[in-house]
Amino acid sequence: MKAFRGLLIASFKQFFRDKAALFFTFAFPILFMFIFGLIYSGEGNLSYDIGLVNQDISPAGAATAQGIKSVPIFKVTEGVLDTTLAEMRDGKYKAVVVIPPELAVNVSRGEVSNVKVYYDPSDMASQTILPVLRQVIEQINQQLSQRPVLLAIEEKSISAHQFGGMDFLIPGILAMSILFLGLFGALPMVEWREKQVLKRLGATPLTRSNVVFSQVFYRVVLALAQTVVIILLARFVFGVNMVGNWFLLFGMVILGTLTFVSIGYLAIARARTTESAMPVIQLIQFPMLFLSGVFFPIEIMPSFMKPIVAVMPLSYLGDGLRQIMVEATPQNTMPVNALVLGAWFVVSSLLAIRFFKWE
Amino acid sequence: MVIQVENLVKTYGQIRAVDGITFQVNRGDIFGMLGPNGAGKTTTVEILEGLRVADSGKAAVLGMDITKAAAKIKQQIGIQLQAPALLPLLNVEELLKTFASFYHKSIPVTRALELVGLQESRKVVVKNLSGGQQQRLSVAMALINDPEITFLDEPTTGLDPQARRALWTVIEGMRDQGKTVFLTTHYMEEAQRLCNRLVIIDHGKIIAQGSPAELIRQNFTEKAIEFETVTPIPEATLKSLPGVTRSAVEDGSTVIYSNKVTATIAALLDFTEKDRTYGELANLHIREATLEDVFLKLTGRKIRE
C-alpha cells in the first residue's frame, strides 16, 4: 500500500509538471467547448437572403408577396426578374421566388399558377429554404381557395427541457476527453519502457500489478476531475445543466476511462518508442471521434456506416453520458451501454495483459 | 558468502551471452566483473537482480535461490542500471522518497544524498541535473534501502574524469562501511583501484579470477616497458633483446615485458641508435604490469571503451 501510494503521488507530481499533458487534459476540452459555443451562438439570428420578383399586380399577388416576406428567417428584397437572377448568381440571394402574372385571373378561373423558385441545390441552405417556402405557399393557397383546415400539426418536444446544440455537444466533449485521457494515458507507459523506468521499477520489490493499478487509478482520478471541470463550465458559461444522477455519471465516466485506458495499453503493448506509439493511438482515436456520434448525430450518417458506429465503444459512452447529463433520447438502453463498454474493457485488458511487453 | 553462482547459462538465439560461469562473492567484497562490451556482464548482473531468468545453472543471493525468493531478495539489494531511468519531472528528494516507499526499510534521504555528495541538489528537478549528477543520483537510489549488496552496472561509463573520481570516492565509502558491492566495468584502471576481488569475462566465459594483484602476479613476473617509434620495430627483433618475454603493438605504441629492465632498455637504446629505419624513440617509460596487460595477454586484444 505504501509503495502504491508512493508511485501514485509521483505520477501526479509528474503529471502536474508536464505542461503538454495538462493542456490536453484540461485546456483542450475547454477550448473545444468555447469554439463550439461560438458556432452555436450564431444559430439564433440566422436568416437567409431571398430575392422576390412579383409579376402580378392584383391584390392576390401582393398577398402572396406579403406572405413570403412575413417569414422571420427570410430577408426579402424585391426586384425585376433579370437583375434579381443576376444578383443571385453573384451570391446575393440564396433563392429567388417569382410570382407569375395574371395570378388573380387564374385563381378566379380555378386554374393553377406556378410560383417559380430558383435555388442552388449544392447550397445546404436550400435544404431549409425549400420546405419553408412550400409551407408558406400551401398556407397562401388555402387562404385563396378558402378551403377549411381539417388537419393540423401541433409540435411537442419530448425532452423535459429546451434542447440546444450545446446540450448535444457537452456530453460529446466529455466523452472525447475521456477517450483522449484513456488512449493517451498509455503513452507515459511507452516512455517508461523506452527509458527503462519499467525495468528500474521491476528491480525494486514493487509488483507489476502495483505499477499498472497506480497508473490506471491516477487516470481515473484525472477523468473525474475533468468531468467536474467540464460540467461546471457547461453550467455557468453555457447554461447547460447536468440533470441526471451524479453517481450514475461518475460510474459511467469511470467505466469509460477503464475501457479506453485498456484499449490504449493494448494499442501500445508492443510499441518500442513514443514516436511509434503515437500514430497507432491516433489511428484508433480519429475514426472513433468522428464516427461514433459524439459530435454528429448518428442519423445523418449513411446506412453502410451504421455497423461501424454500432461497434465503437465511444458511441455507447457518448450515448450514456448524453442520457444521464441532458436526458437526450436514448440510442440504446443504459444496461446496453454499460454492457458494451464493459465487454470492451474486459477483452482489451485481457489482450493487453497477454501482449504487453515490459522491456 | 553473499552470492553464489554455479554454471549459469543464458542464450539469446544463437548467442551464448553467459556461457556457464561459476563464481562467489564474499560479504564486504568490492567484487568486480570486468570485460569488454557484450562480454555478458550486464546479463549476469540482471539475472542476479531478478530481471532476467537464466536458461540453466544455479544462483543464490544472500543464501536464497533467485528463482524462488526474488521478492525477498529485492528488498535487500540495491540496484543501479546502466541507463539512469529516472522520473525527469520530480526533484531529487521526491524521487528518492518515491523509491524509499517501495521498501520495508530505508535510510533518510539526506543520508543517501550525503553518501553520493548530492546534498546541494536536493531540490533540483532531475532533468536539470548533469549526466554525472544523474549517475550519482541513480547510485543514491540504489542505496536508499540500506542494501546488503549493491549492484552497480558500469556506473562510470560516459562520465568525465572528474565525475568518475567522485563516484569512486562514493564506492570507496561503501567499502569502508563493510558493504558488499558488485561492480561491472570495462575500465581496468577502475577495477584495479576499487576491487579486492574480480573476474575477467569474455564471450560469456570467465577467463581469470582473483585479486588484482594476484592476477597480475600470476600473469607477469616482468615489468612493462612502453615506447613509441615512427614505424613499429618487428616482434622478432624485440624478442631478441635481453630479458624480453613478450611484446605487443597497439595504436603505434609498443609494449615489451621484461624481467631484466635495465639490460633491456640499454639494448633497446643501443639498437635504435644504430638502426635508424624505425625513427626516433619517444615516450619511453617503465611501469608495473596492470590488469590491462593481463587482459591483453589473455585475449590478445586490448579492452576498449
Side-chain angles (χ1 to χ4, degrees), chain A residues 209-221:
Chain A
S209 56
N210 253 331
V211 177
V212 173
F213 286 136
S214 77
Q215 293 312 292
V216 173
F217 187 82
Y218 125 81
R219 286 280 143 185
V220 168
V221 171

Side-chain angles (χ1 to χ4, degrees), chain B residues 1-4 23-31 148-149 178-182 196-197:
Chain B
M1 236 177 296
V2 288
I3 298 175
Q4 256 178 305
F23 63 88
Q24 288 91 35
V25 179
N26 299 315
R27 190 173 296 275
D29 272 353
I30 304 289
F31 181 87
E148 292 293 325
I149 310 168
K179 297 278 182 190
T180 311
V181 177
F182 190 115
N196 64 322
R197 287 195 54 246

Side-chain angles (χ1 to χ4, degrees), chain A residues 2-7 9-11 13-15 17-18 191-192 195-197 199-206 359, chain B residues 46 51-52 71 74-75 79 81 83-91 94 98-104 138 141-142:
Chain A
K2 192 179 77 164
F4 178 81
R5 205 178 55 223
L7 192 58
I9 292 170
S11 303
K13 280 185 176 156
Q14 286 260 102
F15 174 80
R17 288 169 197 174
D18 183 348
E191 202 187 328
W192 278 15
K195 301 228 168 100
Q196 300 200 0
V197 175
K199 187 172 172 185
R200 182 65 187 86
L201 293 176
T204 71
L206 204 65
E359 284 177 32
Chain B
E46 290 185 354
L51 290 169
R52 286 177 203 284
K74 282 176 183 172
Q75 284 286 355
I79 284 164
L81 299 177
L86 311 165
L87 301 173
L89 299 178
L90 297 186
N91 70 33
E94 289 167 336
T98 302
F99 271 77
S101 78
F102 302 158
Y103 297 94
H104 294 324
S138 106
M141 283 156 66

Side-chain angles (χ1 to χ4, degrees), chain B residues 143-214:
Chain B
L143 299 177
I144 196 73
N145 59 330
D146 195 19
E148 292 293 325
I149 310 168
T150 310
F151 291 90
L152 303 175
D153 195 1
E154 310 226 356
T156 59
T157 298
L159 296 191
D160 59 62
Q162 198 190 343
R164 183 172 300 166
R165 292 231 152 66
L167 206 51
W168 287 354
T169 314
V170 172
I171 296 169
E172 280 161 351
M174 289 154 77
R175 177 185 62 199
D176 297 344
Q177 286 183 18
K179 297 278 182 190
T180 311
V181 177
F182 190 115
L183 175 78
T184 75
T185 182
H186 57 246
Y187 297 118
M188 294 292 169
E189 188 196 353
E190 183 167 294
Q192 194 159 359
R193 170 164 169 178
L194 296 173
C195 300
N196 64 322
R197 287 195 54 246
L198 50 87
V199 294
I200 297 178
I201 180 171
D202 193 31
H203 298 303
K205 285 194 160 87
I206 289 176
I207 54 174
Q209 53 181 315
S211 72
E214 270 167 20

Side-chain angles (χ1 to χ4, degrees), chain B residues 21-98:
Chain B
I21 59 173
T22 301
F23 63 88
Q24 288 91 35
V25 179
N26 299 315
R27 190 173 296 275
D29 272 353
I30 304 289
F31 181 87
M33 182 169 262
L34 252 91
N37 288 332
K41 302 188 298 285
T42 298
T43 308
T44 309
V45 177
E46 290 185 354
I47 291 171
L48 293 176
E49 292 166 345
L51 290 169
R52 286 177 203 284
V53 180
D55 297 338
S56 65
K58 272 202 270 184
V61 173
L62 297 166
M64 294 175 275
D65 188 321
I66 50 166
T67 55
K68 292 183 185 113
K72 223 170 154 191
I73 293 171
K74 282 176 183 172
Q75 284 286 355
Q76 296 178 58
I77 60 173
I79 284 164
Q80 183 256 346
L81 299 177
Q82 263 186 50
L86 311 165
L87 301 173
L89 299 178
L90 297 186
N91 70 33
V92 168
E93 183 180 15
E94 289 167 336
L95 184 66
L96 285 171
K97 279 192 171 157
T98 302

